[in-house]
PDB file of all heavy atoms in Angstrom:
ATOM      1  N   ALA A 260       5.075   2.843  22.239  1.00 90.00           N
ATOM      2  CA  ALA A 260       6.195   3.497  21.557  1.00 90.00           C
ATOM      3  C   ALA A 260       7.395   2.565  21.499  1.00 90.00           C
ATOM      4  O   ALA A 260       7.650   1.795  22.423  1.00 90.00           O
ATOM      5  CB  ALA A 260       6.566   4.790  22.278  1.00 90.00           C
ATOM      6  N   GLY A 261       8.116   2.613  20.397  1.00 84.00           N
ATOM      7  CA  GLY A 261       9.353   1.852  20.268  1.00 84.00           C
ATOM      8  C   GLY A 261       9.209   0.467  19.676  1.00 84.00           C
ATOM      9  O   GLY A 261      10.210  -0.199  19.426  1.00 84.00           O
ATOM     10  N   ALA A 262       7.976  -0.009  19.468  1.00 80.00           N
ATOM     11  CA  ALA A 262       7.804  -1.339  18.869  1.00 80.00           C
ATOM     12  C   ALA A 262       8.245  -1.303  17.408  1.00 80.00           C
ATOM     13  O   ALA A 262       7.891  -0.385  16.667  1.00 80.00           O
ATOM     14  CB  ALA A 262       6.353  -1.784  18.972  1.00 80.00           C
ATOM     15  N   GLU A 263       9.024  -2.276  17.009  1.00 82.00           N
ATOM     16  CA  GLU A 263       9.516  -2.330  15.635  1.00 82.00           C
ATOM     17  C   GLU A 263       8.991  -3.605  14.980  1.00 82.00           C
ATOM     18  O   GLU A 263       9.457  -4.706  15.282  1.00 82.00           O
ATOM     19  CB  GLU A 263      11.045  -2.322  15.631  1.00 82.00           C
ATOM     20  CG  GLU A 263      11.679  -2.268  14.239  1.00 82.00           C
ATOM     21  CD  GLU A 263      11.409  -0.960  13.509  1.00 82.00           C
ATOM     22  OE1 GLU A 263      11.142   0.055  14.187  1.00 82.00           O
ATOM     23  OE2 GLU A 263      11.449  -0.951  12.265  1.00 82.00           O
ATOM     24  N   PRO A 264       7.995  -3.500  14.097  1.00 86.00           N
ATOM     25  CA  PRO A 264       7.420  -4.705  13.497  1.00 86.00           C
ATOM     26  C   PRO A 264       8.391  -5.402  12.546  1.00 86.00           C
ATOM     27  O   PRO A 264       9.173  -4.750  11.845  1.00 86.00           O
ATOM     28  CB  PRO A 264       6.201  -4.168  12.737  1.00 86.00           C
ATOM     29  CG  PRO A 264       6.534  -2.739  12.443  1.00 86.00           C
ATOM     30  CD  PRO A 264       7.362  -2.269  13.603  1.00 86.00           C
ATOM     31  N   ASP A 265       8.344  -6.722  12.561  1.00 89.00           N
ATOM     32  CA  ASP A 265       9.159  -7.502  11.625  1.00 89.00           C
ATOM     33  C   ASP A 265       8.532  -7.534  10.237  1.00 89.00           C
ATOM     34  O   ASP A 265       9.226  -7.702   9.238  1.00 89.00           O
ATOM     35  CB  ASP A 265       9.314  -8.942  12.132  1.00 89.00           C
ATOM     36  CG  ASP A 265      10.041  -8.994  13.464  1.00 89.00           C
ATOM     37  OD1 ASP A 265      11.055  -8.284  13.606  1.00 89.00           O
ATOM     38  OD2 ASP A 265       9.583  -9.726  14.358  1.00 89.00           O
ATOM     39  N   ARG A 266       7.220  -7.397  10.191  1.00 91.00           N
ATOM     40  CA  ARG A 266       6.512  -7.494   8.922  1.00 91.00           C
ATOM     41  C   ARG A 266       5.369  -6.481   8.917  1.00 91.00           C
ATOM     42  O   ARG A 266       4.669  -6.328   9.911  1.00 91.00           O
ATOM     43  CB  ARG A 266       5.956  -8.912   8.726  1.00 91.00           C
ATOM     44  CG  ARG A 266       5.266  -9.155   7.400  1.00 91.00           C
ATOM     45  CD  ARG A 266       4.800 -10.618   7.306  1.00 91.00           C
ATOM     46  NE  ARG A 266       4.067 -10.874   6.087  1.00 91.00           N
ATOM     47  CZ  ARG A 266       4.619 -11.235   4.937  1.00 91.00           C
ATOM     48  NH1 ARG A 266       5.928 -11.385   4.860  1.00 91.00           N
ATOM     49  NH2 ARG A 266       3.885 -11.451   3.862  1.00 91.00           N
ATOM     50  N   VAL A 267       5.210  -5.782   7.825  1.00 93.00           N
ATOM     51  CA  VAL A 267       4.122  -4.815   7.675  1.00 93.00           C
ATOM     52  C   VAL A 267       3.397  -5.127   6.377  1.00 93.00           C
ATOM     53  O   VAL A 267       4.005  -5.108   5.299  1.00 93.00           O
ATOM     54  CB  VAL A 267       4.644  -3.363   7.634  1.00 93.00           C
ATOM     55  CG1 VAL A 267       3.484  -2.386   7.442  1.00 93.00           C
ATOM     56  CG2 VAL A 267       5.396  -3.032   8.909  1.00 93.00           C
ATOM     57  N   THR A 268       2.123  -5.454   6.470  1.00 91.00           N
ATOM     58  CA  THR A 268       1.323  -5.717   5.277  1.00 91.00           C
ATOM     59  C   THR A 268       0.104  -4.803   5.265  1.00 91.00           C
ATOM     60  O   THR A 268      -0.308  -4.300   6.310  1.00 91.00           O
ATOM     61  CB  THR A 268       0.848  -7.180   5.211  1.00 91.00           C
ATOM     62  OG1 THR A 268      -0.003  -7.443   6.334  1.00 91.00           O
ATOM     63  CG2 THR A 268       2.018  -8.145   5.231  1.00 91.00           C
ATOM     64  N   PHE A 269      -0.446  -4.608   4.100  1.00 91.00           N
ATOM     65  CA  PHE A 269      -1.607  -3.746   3.931  1.00 91.00           C
ATOM     66  C   PHE A 269      -2.746  -4.546   3.311  1.00 91.00           C
ATOM     67  O   PHE A 269      -2.508  -5.478   2.528  1.00 91.00           O
ATOM     68  CB  PHE A 269      -1.265  -2.561   3.012  1.00 91.00           C
ATOM     69  CG  PHE A 269      -0.307  -1.577   3.625  1.00 91.00           C
ATOM     70  CD1 PHE A 269       1.063  -1.763   3.545  1.00 91.00           C
ATOM     71  CD2 PHE A 269      -0.780  -0.462   4.288  1.00 91.00           C
ATOM     72  CE1 PHE A 269       1.941  -0.859   4.115  1.00 91.00           C
ATOM     73  CE2 PHE A 269       0.081   0.459   4.863  1.00 91.00           C
ATOM     74  CZ  PHE A 269       1.452   0.255   4.770  1.00 91.00           C
ATOM     75  N   SER A 270      -3.975  -4.182   3.676  1.00 86.00           N
ATOM     76  CA  SER A 270      -5.145  -4.797   3.064  1.00 86.00           C
ATOM     77  C   SER A 270      -6.122  -3.705   2.686  1.00 86.00           C
ATOM     78  O   SER A 270      -5.960  -2.540   3.054  1.00 86.00           O
ATOM     79  CB  SER A 270      -5.805  -5.795   4.027  1.00 86.00           C
ATOM     80  OG  SER A 270      -6.353  -5.107   5.147  1.00 86.00           O
ATOM     81  N   GLY A 271      -7.152  -4.091   1.946  1.00 84.00           N
ATOM     82  CA  GLY A 271      -8.121  -3.104   1.488  1.00 84.00           C
ATOM     83  C   GLY A 271      -7.790  -2.605   0.093  1.00 84.00           C
ATOM     84  O   GLY A 271      -6.777  -2.975  -0.516  1.00 84.00           O
ATOM     85  N   GLY A 272      -8.635  -1.730  -0.418  1.00 86.00           N
ATOM     86  CA  GLY A 272      -8.479  -1.256  -1.788  1.00 86.00           C
ATOM     87  C   GLY A 272      -7.152  -0.569  -2.050  1.00 86.00           C
ATOM     88  O   GLY A 272      -6.522  -0.767  -3.089  1.00 86.00           O
ATOM     89  N   VAL A 273      -6.699   0.247  -1.082  1.00 91.00           N
ATOM     90  CA  VAL A 273      -5.443   0.977  -1.286  1.00 91.00           C
ATOM     91  C   VAL A 273      -4.259   0.015  -1.392  1.00 91.00           C
ATOM     92  O   VAL A 273      -3.270   0.299  -2.077  1.00 91.00           O
ATOM     93  CB  VAL A 273      -5.233   2.008  -0.165  1.00 91.00           C
ATOM     94  CG1 VAL A 273      -3.853   2.668  -0.274  1.00 91.00           C
ATOM     95  CG2 VAL A 273      -6.317   3.083  -0.229  1.00 91.00           C
ATOM     96  N   SER A 274      -4.350  -1.147  -0.733  1.00 91.00           N
ATOM     97  CA  SER A 274      -3.239  -2.090  -0.805  1.00 91.00           C
ATOM     98  C   SER A 274      -2.998  -2.587  -2.223  1.00 91.00           C
ATOM     99  O   SER A 274      -1.883  -3.003  -2.561  1.00 91.00           O
ATOM    100  CB  SER A 274      -3.500  -3.284   0.119  1.00 91.00           C
ATOM    101  OG  SER A 274      -4.519  -4.129  -0.397  1.00 91.00           O
ATOM    102  N   GLU A 275      -4.024  -2.557  -3.050  1.00 90.00           N
ATOM    103  CA  GLU A 275      -3.833  -2.959  -4.447  1.00 90.00           C
ATOM    104  C   GLU A 275      -2.834  -2.041  -5.147  1.00 90.00           C
ATOM    105  O   GLU A 275      -2.105  -2.463  -6.039  1.00 90.00           O
ATOM    106  CB  GLU A 275      -5.179  -2.942  -5.180  1.00 90.00           C
ATOM    107  CG  GLU A 275      -6.232  -3.883  -4.599  1.00 90.00           C
ATOM    108  CD  GLU A 275      -5.815  -5.340  -4.737  1.00 90.00           C
ATOM    109  OE1 GLU A 275      -5.722  -5.833  -5.881  1.00 90.00           O
ATOM    110  OE2 GLU A 275      -5.559  -5.981  -3.698  1.00 90.00           O
ATOM    111  N   TYR A 276      -2.797  -0.778  -4.737  1.00 93.00           N
ATOM    112  CA  TYR A 276      -1.802   0.158  -5.275  1.00 93.00           C
ATOM    113  C   TYR A 276      -0.447  -0.029  -4.600  1.00 93.00           C
ATOM    114  O   TYR A 276       0.605   0.087  -5.244  1.00 93.00           O
ATOM    115  CB  TYR A 276      -2.270   1.598  -5.074  1.00 93.00           C
ATOM    116  CG  TYR A 276      -3.518   1.965  -5.830  1.00 93.00           C
ATOM    117  CD1 TYR A 276      -4.703   2.218  -5.166  1.00 93.00           C
ATOM    118  CD2 TYR A 276      -3.510   2.059  -7.226  1.00 93.00           C
ATOM    119  CE1 TYR A 276      -5.862   2.557  -5.856  1.00 93.00           C
ATOM    120  CE2 TYR A 276      -4.655   2.395  -7.930  1.00 93.00           C
ATOM    121  CZ  TYR A 276      -5.826   2.642  -7.239  1.00 93.00           C
ATOM    122  OH  TYR A 276      -6.963   2.975  -7.932  1.00 93.00           O
ATOM    123  N   VAL A 277      -0.454  -0.322  -3.290  1.00 94.00           N
ATOM    124  CA  VAL A 277       0.804  -0.516  -2.569  1.00 94.00           C
ATOM    125  C   VAL A 277       1.623  -1.618  -3.225  1.00 94.00           C
ATOM    126  O   VAL A 277       2.837  -1.497  -3.404  1.00 94.00           O
ATOM    127  CB  VAL A 277       0.529  -0.865  -1.088  1.00 94.00           C
ATOM    128  CG1 VAL A 277       1.821  -1.272  -0.371  1.00 94.00           C
ATOM    129  CG2 VAL A 277      -0.112   0.322  -0.364  1.00 94.00           C
ATOM    130  N   TYR A 278       0.954  -2.704  -3.623  1.00 92.00           N
ATOM    131  CA  TYR A 278       1.656  -3.858  -4.179  1.00 92.00           C
ATOM    132  C   TYR A 278       1.624  -3.895  -5.707  1.00 92.00           C
ATOM    133  O   TYR A 278       2.005  -4.899  -6.311  1.00 92.00           O
ATOM    134  CB  TYR A 278       1.061  -5.149  -3.604  1.00 92.00           C
ATOM    135  CG  TYR A 278       1.191  -5.223  -2.100  1.00 92.00           C
ATOM    136  CD1 TYR A 278       0.071  -5.238  -1.281  1.00 92.00           C
ATOM    137  CD2 TYR A 278       2.447  -5.239  -1.496  1.00 92.00           C
ATOM    138  CE1 TYR A 278       0.187  -5.292   0.095  1.00 92.00           C
ATOM    139  CE2 TYR A 278       2.579  -5.295  -0.116  1.00 92.00           C
ATOM    140  CZ  TYR A 278       1.449  -5.316   0.676  1.00 92.00           C
ATOM    141  OH  TYR A 278       1.582  -5.364   2.036  1.00 92.00           O
ATOM    142  N   GLY A 279       1.149  -2.826  -6.329  1.00 90.00           N
ATOM    143  CA  GLY A 279       1.200  -2.738  -7.781  1.00 90.00           C
ATOM    144  C   GLY A 279       0.233  -3.640  -8.506  1.00 90.00           C
ATOM    145  O   GLY A 279       0.414  -3.935  -9.684  1.00 90.00           O
ATOM    146  N   ARG A 280      -0.842  -4.074  -7.824  1.00 89.00           N
ATOM    147  CA  ARG A 280      -1.807  -4.950  -8.485  1.00 89.00           C
ATOM    148  C   ARG A 280      -2.894  -4.166  -9.213  1.00 89.00           C
ATOM    149  O   ARG A 280      -3.631  -4.737 -10.006  1.00 89.00           O
ATOM    150  CB  ARG A 280      -2.445  -5.894  -7.446  1.00 89.00           C
ATOM    151  CG  ARG A 280      -1.466  -6.912  -6.862  1.00 89.00           C
ATOM    152  CD  ARG A 280      -2.171  -7.963  -6.028  1.00 89.00           C
ATOM    153  NE  ARG A 280      -2.596  -7.468  -4.745  1.00 89.00           N
ATOM    154  CZ  ARG A 280      -2.160  -7.932  -3.564  1.00 89.00           C
ATOM    155  NH1 ARG A 280      -1.263  -8.906  -3.547  1.00 89.00           N
ATOM    156  NH2 ARG A 280      -2.609  -7.433  -2.435  1.00 89.00           N
ATOM    157  N   GLU A 281      -3.022  -2.875  -8.924  1.00 89.00           N
ATOM    158  CA  GLU A 281      -4.028  -2.031  -9.564  1.00 89.00           C
ATOM    159  C   GLU A 281      -3.353  -0.774 -10.101  1.00 89.00           C
ATOM    160  O   GLU A 281      -2.830   0.038  -9.339  1.00 89.00           O
ATOM    161  CB  GLU A 281      -5.113  -1.651  -8.554  1.00 89.00           C
ATOM    162  CG  GLU A 281      -6.159  -0.682  -9.091  1.00 89.00           C
ATOM    163  CD  GLU A 281      -6.893  -1.237 -10.292  1.00 89.00           C
ATOM    164  OE1 GLU A 281      -7.744  -2.133 -10.107  1.00 89.00           O
ATOM    165  OE2 GLU A 281      -6.603  -0.774 -11.427  1.00 89.00           O
ATOM    166  N   PRO A 282      -3.319  -0.572 -11.428  1.00 90.00           N
ATOM    167  CA  PRO A 282      -2.639   0.606 -11.992  1.00 90.00           C
ATOM    168  C   PRO A 282      -3.562   1.791 -12.263  1.00 90.00           C
ATOM    169  O   PRO A 282      -3.085   2.896 -12.513  1.00 90.00           O
ATOM    170  CB  PRO A 282      -2.080   0.059 -13.309  1.00 90.00           C
ATOM    171  CG  PRO A 282      -3.108  -0.955 -13.742  1.00 90.00           C
ATOM    172  CD  PRO A 282      -3.653  -1.569 -12.468  1.00 90.00           C
ATOM    173  N   ARG A 283      -4.886   1.582 -12.224  1.00 92.00           N
ATOM    174  CA  ARG A 283      -5.808   2.626 -12.670  1.00 92.00           C
ATOM    175  C   ARG A 283      -6.041   3.681 -11.594  1.00 92.00           C
ATOM    176  O   ARG A 283      -5.999   3.406 -10.416  1.00 92.00           O
ATOM    177  CB  ARG A 283      -7.153   2.004 -13.051  1.00 92.00           C
ATOM    178  CG  ARG A 283      -7.104   1.029 -14.213  1.00 92.00           C
ATOM    179  CD  ARG A 283      -8.462   0.327 -14.359  1.00 92.00           C
ATOM    180  NE  ARG A 283      -8.769  -0.481 -13.177  1.00 92.00           N
ATOM    181  CZ  ARG A 283      -9.976  -0.956 -12.884  1.00 92.00           C
ATOM    182  NH1 ARG A 283     -10.998  -0.693 -13.683  1.00 92.00           N
ATOM    183  NH2 ARG A 283     -10.165  -1.681 -11.787  1.00 92.00           N
ATOM    184  N   HIS A 284      -6.306   4.892 -12.043  1.00 92.00           N
ATOM    185  CA  HIS A 284      -6.748   5.963 -11.155  1.00 92.00           C
ATOM    186  C   HIS A 284      -8.272   5.912 -11.130  1.00 92.00           C
ATOM    187  O   HIS A 284      -8.921   6.050 -12.161  1.00 92.00           O
ATOM    188  CB  HIS A 284      -6.264   7.326 -11.662  1.00 92.00           C
ATOM    189  CG  HIS A 284      -6.443   8.438 -10.677  1.00 92.00           C
ATOM    190  ND1 HIS A 284      -7.664   8.808 -10.171  1.00 92.00           N
ATOM    191  CD2 HIS A 284      -5.534   9.262 -10.091  1.00 92.00           C
ATOM    192  CE1 HIS A 284      -7.512   9.813  -9.333  1.00 92.00           C
ATOM    193  NE2 HIS A 284      -6.221  10.112  -9.260  1.00 92.00           N
ATOM    194  N   LEU A 285      -8.852   5.738  -9.920  1.00 89.00           N
ATOM    195  CA  LEU A 285     -10.291   5.540  -9.803  1.00 89.00           C
ATOM    196  C   LEU A 285     -11.002   6.768  -9.248  1.00 89.00           C
ATOM    197  O   LEU A 285     -12.096   6.675  -8.707  1.00 89.00           O
ATOM    198  CB  LEU A 285     -10.588   4.308  -8.944  1.00 89.00           C
ATOM    199  CG  LEU A 285     -10.013   2.994  -9.479  1.00 89.00           C
ATOM    200  CD1 LEU A 285     -10.303   1.839  -8.538  1.00 89.00           C
ATOM    201  CD2 LEU A 285     -10.557   2.698 -10.862  1.00 89.00           C
ATOM    202  N   GLY A 286     -10.369   7.935  -9.384  1.00 89.00           N
ATOM    203  CA  GLY A 286     -11.057   9.158  -9.016  1.00 89.00           C
ATOM    204  C   GLY A 286     -10.989   9.517  -7.551  1.00 89.00           C
ATOM    205  O   GLY A 286     -11.756  10.368  -7.087  1.00 89.00           O
ATOM    206  N   ASP A 287     -10.083   8.884  -6.799  1.00 91.00           N
ATOM    207  CA  ASP A 287      -9.928   9.234  -5.386  1.00 91.00           C
ATOM    208  C   ASP A 287      -8.448   9.312  -5.045  1.00 91.00           C
ATOM    209  O   ASP A 287      -7.593   9.352  -5.938  1.00 91.00           O
ATOM    210  CB  ASP A 287     -10.668   8.239  -4.496  1.00 91.00           C
ATOM    211  CG  ASP A 287     -10.174   6.807  -4.698  1.00 91.00           C
ATOM    212  OD1 ASP A 287      -9.107   6.623  -5.302  1.00 91.00           O
ATOM    213  OD2 ASP A 287     -10.869   5.876  -4.246  1.00 91.00           O
ATOM    214  N   LEU A 288      -8.122   9.299  -3.764  1.00 93.00           N
ATOM    215  CA  LEU A 288      -6.716   9.393  -3.345  1.00 93.00           C
ATOM    216  C   LEU A 288      -6.006   8.041  -3.366  1.00 93.00           C
ATOM    217  O   LEU A 288      -4.841   7.967  -2.998  1.00 93.00           O
ATOM    218  CB  LEU A 288      -6.630   9.956  -1.918  1.00 93.00           C
ATOM    219  CG  LEU A 288      -6.842  11.450  -1.723  1.00 93.00           C
ATOM    220  CD1 LEU A 288      -6.698  11.804  -0.244  1.00 93.00           C
ATOM    221  CD2 LEU A 288      -5.838  12.251  -2.539  1.00 93.00           C
ATOM    222  N   GLY A 289      -6.693   6.986  -3.767  1.00 93.00           N
ATOM    223  CA  GLY A 289      -6.132   5.645  -3.652  1.00 93.00           C
ATOM    224  C   GLY A 289      -4.769   5.465  -4.281  1.00 93.00           C
ATOM    225  O   GLY A 289      -3.843   4.945  -3.654  1.00 93.00           O
ATOM    226  N   LEU A 290      -4.612   5.900  -5.532  1.00 95.00           N
ATOM    227  CA  LEU A 290      -3.349   5.693  -6.245  1.00 95.00           C
ATOM    228  C   LEU A 290      -2.220   6.464  -5.568  1.00 95.00           C
ATOM    229  O   LEU A 290      -1.155   5.903  -5.276  1.00 95.00           O
ATOM    230  CB  LEU A 290      -3.495   6.129  -7.702  1.00 95.00           C
ATOM    231  CG  LEU A 290      -2.237   6.030  -8.570  1.00 95.00           C
ATOM    232  CD1 LEU A 290      -1.704   4.611  -8.589  1.00 95.00           C
ATOM    233  CD2 LEU A 290      -2.529   6.516  -9.991  1.00 95.00           C
ATOM    234  N   ALA A 291      -2.441   7.748  -5.289  1.00 96.00           N
ATOM    235  CA  ALA A 291      -1.394   8.550  -4.652  1.00 96.00           C
ATOM    236  C   ALA A 291      -1.069   8.027  -3.253  1.00 96.00           C
ATOM    237  O   ALA A 291       0.103   7.959  -2.848  1.00 96.00           O
ATOM    238  CB  ALA A 291      -1.823  10.016  -4.576  1.00 96.00           C
ATOM    239  N   LEU A 292      -2.098   7.622  -2.508  1.00 96.00           N
ATOM    240  CA  LEU A 292      -1.872   7.127  -1.154  1.00 96.00           C
ATOM    241  C   LEU A 292      -1.121   5.804  -1.180  1.00 96.00           C
ATOM    242  O   LEU A 292      -0.203   5.577  -0.379  1.00 96.00           O
ATOM    243  CB  LEU A 292      -3.208   6.971  -0.426  1.00 96.00           C
ATOM    244  CG  LEU A 292      -3.138   6.533   1.037  1.00 96.00           C
ATOM    245  CD1 LEU A 292      -2.296   7.482   1.858  1.00 96.00           C
ATOM    246  CD2 LEU A 292      -4.545   6.424   1.625  1.00 96.00           C
ATOM    247  N   GLY A 293      -1.495   4.913  -2.098  1.00 96.00           N
ATOM    248  CA  GLY A 293      -0.794   3.639  -2.206  1.00 96.00           C
ATOM    249  C   GLY A 293       0.675   3.826  -2.514  1.00 96.00           C
ATOM    250  O   GLY A 293       1.547   3.155  -1.946  1.00 96.00           O
ATOM    251  N   GLN A 294       0.987   4.754  -3.408  1.00 96.00           N
ATOM    252  CA  GLN A 294       2.386   5.015  -3.750  1.00 96.00           C
ATOM    253  C   GLN A 294       3.148   5.603  -2.568  1.00 96.00           C
ATOM    254  O   GLN A 294       4.323   5.290  -2.347  1.00 96.00           O
ATOM    255  CB  GLN A 294       2.450   5.938  -4.958  1.00 96.00           C
ATOM    256  CG  GLN A 294       1.948   5.280  -6.241  1.00 96.00           C
ATOM    257  CD  GLN A 294       1.823   6.258  -7.397  1.00 96.00           C
ATOM    258  OE1 GLN A 294       1.809   7.477  -7.215  1.00 96.00           O
ATOM    259  NE2 GLN A 294       1.713   5.725  -8.611  1.00 96.00           N
ATOM    260  N   ALA A 295       2.459   6.443  -1.761  1.00 97.00           N
ATOM    261  CA  ALA A 295       3.116   7.026  -0.591  1.00 97.00           C
ATOM    262  C   ALA A 295       3.329   6.002   0.514  1.00 97.00           C
ATOM    263  O   ALA A 295       4.277   6.100   1.298  1.00 97.00           O
ATOM    264  CB  ALA A 295       2.288   8.203  -0.068  1.00 97.00           C
ATOM    265  N   LEU A 296       2.436   5.014   0.590  1.00 96.00           N
ATOM    266  CA  LEU A 296       2.538   3.987   1.628  1.00 96.00           C
ATOM    267  C   LEU A 296       3.492   2.861   1.270  1.00 96.00           C
ATOM    268  O   LEU A 296       3.964   2.145   2.158  1.00 96.00           O
ATOM    269  CB  LEU A 296       1.154   3.388   1.905  1.00 96.00           C
ATOM    270  CG  LEU A 296       0.115   4.286   2.562  1.00 96.00           C
ATOM    271  CD1 LEU A 296      -1.229   3.572   2.609  1.00 96.00           C
ATOM    272  CD2 LEU A 296       0.551   4.689   3.961  1.00 96.00           C
ATOM    273  N   ALA A 297       3.765   2.671  -0.005  1.00 96.00           N
ATOM    274  CA  ALA A 297       4.561   1.527  -0.453  1.00 96.00           C
ATOM    275  C   ALA A 297       5.886   1.386   0.296  1.00 96.00           C
ATOM    276  O   ALA A 297       6.279   0.263   0.646  1.00 96.00           O
ATOM    277  CB  ALA A 297       4.788   1.611  -1.962  1.00 96.00           C
ATOM    278  N   PRO A 298       6.617   2.485   0.588  1.00 95.00           N
ATOM    279  CA  PRO A 298       7.890   2.315   1.309  1.00 95.00           C
ATOM    280  C   PRO A 298       7.726   1.756   2.727  1.00 95.00           C
ATOM    281  O   PRO A 298       8.706   1.267   3.309  1.00 95.00           O
ATOM    282  CB  PRO A 298       8.460   3.748   1.355  1.00 95.00           C
ATOM    283  CG  PRO A 298       7.827   4.453   0.206  1.00 95.00           C
ATOM    284  CD  PRO A 298       6.453   3.883   0.124  1.00 95.00           C
ATOM    285  N   LEU A 299       6.508   1.815   3.309  1.00 95.00           N
ATOM    286  CA  LEU A 299       6.299   1.291   4.657  1.00 95.00           C
ATOM    287  C   LEU A 299       6.115  -0.221   4.674  1.00 95.00           C
ATOM    288  O   LEU A 299       6.255  -0.847   5.725  1.00 95.00           O
ATOM    289  CB  LEU A 299       5.065   1.947   5.292  1.00 95.00           C
ATOM    290  CG  LEU A 299       5.076   3.462   5.463  1.00 95.00           C
ATOM    291  CD1 LEU A 299       3.795   3.921   6.144  1.00 95.00           C
ATOM    292  CD2 LEU A 299       6.288   3.907   6.266  1.00 95.00           C
ATOM    293  N   ALA A 300       5.744  -0.805   3.531  1.00 94.00           N
ATOM    294  CA  ALA A 300       5.511  -2.251   3.474  1.00 94.00           C
ATOM    295  C   ALA A 300       6.823  -2.984   3.723  1.00 94.00           C
ATOM    296  O   ALA A 300       7.881  -2.574   3.248  1.00 94.00           O
ATOM    297  CB  ALA A 300       4.917  -2.634   2.127  1.00 94.00           C
ATOM    298  N   ARG A 301       6.732  -4.078   4.462  1.00 92.00           N
ATOM    299  CA  ARG A 301       7.938  -4.823   4.822  1.00 92.00           C
ATOM    300  C   ARG A 301       7.620  -6.302   4.838  1.00 92.00           C
ATOM    301  O   ARG A 301       6.641  -6.733   5.443  1.00 92.00           O
ATOM    302  CB  ARG A 301       8.419  -4.372   6.206  1.00 92.00           C
ATOM    303  CG  ARG A 301       9.737  -4.965   6.652  1.00 92.00           C
ATOM    304  CD  ARG A 301      10.090  -4.479   8.042  1.00 92.00           C
ATOM    305  NE  ARG A 301      10.110  -3.026   8.125  1.00 92.00           N
ATOM    306  CZ  ARG A 301      10.234  -2.367   9.275  1.00 92.00           C
ATOM    307  NH1 ARG A 301      10.319  -3.034  10.403  1.00 92.00           N
ATOM    308  NH2 ARG A 301      10.242  -1.053   9.283  1.00 92.00           N
ATOM    309  N   GLY A 302       8.415  -7.095   4.168  1.00 88.00           N
ATOM    310  CA  GLY A 302       8.237  -8.539   4.204  1.00 88.00           C
ATOM    311  C   GLY A 302       7.477  -9.108   3.030  1.00 88.00           C
ATOM    312  O   GLY A 302       7.137 -10.282   3.023  1.00 88.00           O
ATOM    313  N   GLY A 303       7.184  -8.296   2.012  1.00 85.00           N
ATOM    314  CA  GLY A 303       6.497  -8.805   0.834  1.00 85.00           C
ATOM    315  C   GLY A 303       4.996  -8.773   0.984  1.00 85.00           C
ATOM    316  O   GLY A 303       4.463  -8.659   2.092  1.00 85.00           O
TER     317      GLY A 303
END
C-alpha cells in the first residue's frame, strides 16, 4: 500500500485502445475497457 509508480504502461490487446492505436470495436469489452484505463497510463 502507498507505492506511487513513476510510470504506468499497458501491454496486450487492450493496450492498443489505451494508446489509440486500434479504433475498431472487435465484439468484446476491449474498446470500452481501454478508454476507461487510459487515464491511468502515465509516462507515455
Side-chain angles (χ1 to χ4, degrees):
E263 184 66 24
D265 298 316
R266 183 178 177 88
V267 179
T268 63
F269 291 86
S270 67
V273 174
S274 72
E275 300 295 294
Y276 296 111
V277 172
Y278 299 116
R280 293 190 285 242
E281 176 60 74
R283 297 172 297 164
H284 191 300
L285 300 178
D287 59 14
L288 284 181
L290 178 58
L292 183 57
Q294 292 172 343
L296 292 174
L299 300 182
R301 186 182 305 172

